[in-house]
């Protein structure tokens, strides 16, 4: 049984999800990753971005490759965003858009198993 506090937390998170749901549905990560796409769009060289982060251009190239293959750390993404004067956004969003629906789905699954 959920407490009032849990219900409030669920409602608050669902409101947050609602704000970003429409964006997440249309969000497509560029083929070579965000770092590469932004760097090229802003006409910043590997060396220039490396200088902002106090790393070599080879490191920036590695960041781009690690982002592309999914092995970059969240901290590195935050660091790059900061160097580009941007905010880094990170979220988990229920596939059906609501924690309430997700909890109900899990409850039904559990009930079936019982």
């Amino acid at each position: 049984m959920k407490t009032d506090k849990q219900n409030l937390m669920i409602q608050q998170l669902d409101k947050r999800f609602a704000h970003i749901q429409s964006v997440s549905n249309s969000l497509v990560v560029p083929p070579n990753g965000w770092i590469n796409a932004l760097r090229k769009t802003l006409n910043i060289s590997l060396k220039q971005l490396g200088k902002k982060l106090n790393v070599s251009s080879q490191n920036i190239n590695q960041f781009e490759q690690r982002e592309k293959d999914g092995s970059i750390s969240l901290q590195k993404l935050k660091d790059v965003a900061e160097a580009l004067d941007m905010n880094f956004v990170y979220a988990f969003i229920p596939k059906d858009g609501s924690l309430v629906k997700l909890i109900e789905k899990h409850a039904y699954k559990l009930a079936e198993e019982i």
Side-chain angles (χ1 to χ4, degrees), residues 34-92:
W34 287 107
I35 299 171
N36 180 273
L38 289 166
R39 184 179 59 76
K40 288 183 175 179
T41 300
L42 297 172
N43 200 28
I44 298 172
S45 70
L46 291 167
K47 186 175 182 177
Q48 289 169 320
L49 184 54
K51 188 173 182 176
K52 288 182 176 202
L53 288 162
N54 294 318
V55 298
S56 69
S57 57
Q58 292 87 351
N59 283 115
I60 300 301
N61 195 35
Q62 290 173 353
F63 293 172
E64 290 181 358
Q65 185 57 47
R66 291 199 326 250
E67 181 193 7
K68 187 176 175 181
D69 68 26
S71 64
I72 193 167
S73 73
L74 294 177
Q75 187 58 56
K76 286 294 177 217
L77 291 173
K78 289 177 188 178
D79 294 344
V80 172
E82 184 65 30
L84 294 172
D85 197 26
M86 302 183 98
N87 290 320
F88 175 70
V89 179
Y90 173 80
F92 289 98

Side-chain angles (χ1 to χ4, degrees), residues 87-106:
N87 290 320
F88 175 70
V89 179
Y90 173 80
F92 289 98
I93 303 169
K95 290 180 180 179
D96 60 10
S98 166
L99 274 181
V100 172
K101 291 178 185 176
L102 181 64
I103 291 167
E104 287 174 356
K105 181 179 169 182
H106 286 270

Side-chain angles (χ1 to χ4, degrees), residues 5 15 17 22 26 28 31-32 40 51 78-79 81 87 93 95 98 108 110:
K5 183 179 178 180
K15 283 182 184 178
F17 294 144
S22 62
S26 62
V28 178
N32 291 316
K40 288 183 175 179
K51 188 173 182 176
K78 289 177 188 178
D79 294 344
N87 290 320
I93 303 169
K95 290 180 180 179
S98 166
Y108 284 122
L110 183 60

